Amino acid sequence: MGFKPDLPDKAQSDDYVTGTFVPTKKQVSFKKQFGTHIFTSQEIKQLLQGEEITIQATSKNGKPYTVTGQFKNYIYKGKRHFGFKAKFNRKK
């Protein structure tokens, strides 16, 4: 779930939020949902500050899970993205 600062079509969509990412001082637009979790206004503020948050969502199988993440640069399917990068807690 990434975002790019230059997506005017998506920035106008109800599915996206626009704000200033404080660590880089750049305006960004990003999807306000990660999986089944819709970011709260408090979570959005924390993410834009560069903070790490922990959220709960539901998998495609209907199982609840907890994930921690923050906005980061990352590569997905060979393309660079900047968005919510999750660190899944894998149980062994």
Side-chain angles (χ1 to χ4, degrees), residues 37-86:
H37 181 79
I38 298 173
F39 295 118
T40 65
S41 59
Q42 181 61 35
E43 290 168 337
I44 290 169
K45 288 177 187 175
Q46 290 175 289
L47 289 167
L48 287 172
Q49 289 293 321
E51 296 176 22
E52 188 173 80
I53 65 169
T54 299
I55 60 172
Q56 292 189 331
T58 305
S59 71
K60 293 178 184 177
N61 302 347
K63 290 178 66 175
Y65 67 91
T66 301
V67 65
T68 300
Q70 65 188 123
F71 287 155
K72 288 189 171 192
N73 286 311
Y74 63 96
I75 296 174
Y76 179 71
K77 293 188 177 180
K79 293 189 179 185
R80 292 179 182 252
H81 292 276
F82 183 77
F84 186 76
K85 181 68 174 158

Side-chain angles (χ1 to χ4, degrees), residues 10-23:
K10 291 182 181 179
Q12 303 300 321
S13 168
D14 290 338
D15 296 334
Y16 287 78
V17 176
T18 300
T20 301
F21 185 58
V22 174

